[in-house]
Amino acid sequence: MRILIIEDNADIVANLYAFLEPRGYVLDCAANGYAGFALAAQHEYDAVILDIKIPGIDGLTLCRKMRDELQNDTPVLMLTARDTLDDKVAGFDSGADDYLVKPFSLLEVEVRLKALIRRARGKNQGTNFLSVGDLIFDTSTYQVKRGGMPITLTKTGFKILACLMKEAPKVVSRETLELEVWGDHPPDSDALRTHIHALRQALDKAHPFAMLRTVQGIGYRLVGSDETT
């Protein structure tokens, strides 16, 4: 899961990195509101950890700008020392999804992040979006992005990717993929292997780990985080 941290306290940021990165989270960080807004506009995130009292654009204003100007509905967890009811109401009114008062438990941060992300993904079920890790596929516009970077695919590549994403991280057999793409009339040649190679190049070449994995003798699978095959 990819998380954006917008926090100017270096100790808090270091603690979040030390706790979340070993658990498989991919983290980006901004120390002021302007940098945080720019990252939110440029990349896709599963959640945002946002401090209210940050330099530049304050957290409340930044959250409103994300919702209104960017039309960004990424879950936002606010971290702040302000603990009055009015402060909490202001945070939720700005568009935040959850509110955690400092000092906080790092384990509670992770629990709340997981709940927010699970809730957001549940809302997207039945919509036009498929997501695995930092890979997003809008099936209504045929736009695919990984880590915010657009990916160009062929018509067959889109079909294979959609099938793999719907089943991820489970293995999809070669026979299932061939049926999905060509129906009851698969080509005689090993066309699937060629299309898988092209899909792998498009998905993985510019990124730190391979999402598309081959399961020898069975088929293929997509993974959302780095792991041994």
Side-chain angles (χ1 to χ4, degrees), residues 57-86:
I57 310 171
D58 67 86
L60 296 176
T61 302
L62 174 54
C63 194
R64 290 193 193 96
K65 287 170 68 68
M66 285 177 56
R67 301 307 192 212
D68 296 339
E69 296 180 23
L70 300 181
Q71 295 295 298
N72 187 326
D73 60 357
T74 301
V76 173
L77 171 62
M78 280 194 168
L79 302 180
T80 179
R82 302 178 181 181
D83 60 355
T84 69
L85 178 59
D86 287 344

Side-chain angles (χ1 to χ4, degrees), residues 177-203:
L177 288 173
E178 288 176 345
L179 185 63
E180 183 73 20
V181 175
W182 294 288
D184 295 326
H185 306 285
D188 294 333
S189 63
D190 195 5
L192 180 60
R193 187 187 302 274
T194 301
H195 287 292
I196 287 289
H197 175 76
L199 179 59
R200 180 175 280 120
Q201 289 291 105
L203 285 183

Side-chain angles (χ1 to χ4, degrees), residues 162-180:
C163 185
L164 291 170
M165 292 185 74
K166 287 174 184 176
E167 297 299 323
K170 294 186 291 185
V171 178
V172 181
S173 69
R174 292 176 54 85
E175 293 77 15
T176 298
L177 288 173
E178 288 176 345
L179 185 63
E180 183 73 20

Side-chain angles (χ1 to χ4, degrees), residues 117-139:
I117 293 168
R118 185 167 58 246
R119 192 184 312 155
R121 289 178 175 174
K123 288 180 181 178
N124 285 335
Q125 287 182 358
T127 69
N128 298 319
F129 290 90
L130 298 172
S131 66
V132 177
D134 63 352
L135 179 66
I136 308 293
F137 183 3
D138 183 344
T139 58

Side-chain angles (χ1 to χ4, degrees), residues 108-157:
E108 185 175 4
V109 171
E110 184 184 27
V111 169
R112 289 177 182 256
L113 283 175
K114 286 182 175 179
L116 289 175
I117 293 168
R118 185 167 58 246
R119 192 184 312 155
R121 289 178 175 174
K123 288 180 181 178
N124 285 335
Q125 287 182 358
T127 69
N128 298 319
F129 290 90
L130 298 172
S131 66
V132 177
D134 63 352
L135 179 66
I136 308 293
F137 183 3
D138 183 344
T139 58
S140 66
T141 62
Y142 283 83
Q143 290 183 320
V144 177
K145 293 182 179 180
R146 180 173 177 189
M149 297 173 58
I151 294 172
T152 302
L153 299 175
T154 63
K155 182 179 178 180
T156 299

Side-chain angles (χ1 to χ4, degrees), residues 7-68:
E7 167 66 70
D8 64 326
N9 185 311
D11 291 334
I12 290 176
V13 171
N15 287 336
L16 288 169
Y17 266 78
F19 185 81
L20 294 174
E21 274 195 326
R23 286 166 166 76
Y25 294 84
V26 178
L27 306 177
D28 286 342
C29 179
N32 63 72
Y34 293 111
F37 184 78
L39 285 172
Q42 293 168 9
H43 304 288
E44 301 280 349
Y45 293 98
D46 292 293
V48 177
I49 297 174
L50 175 62
D51 185 23
I52 288 182
K53 194 174 181 181
I54 49 175
I57 310 171
D58 67 86
L60 296 176
T61 302
L62 174 54
C63 194
R64 290 193 193 96
K65 287 170 68 68
M66 285 177 56
R67 301 307 192 212
D68 296 339

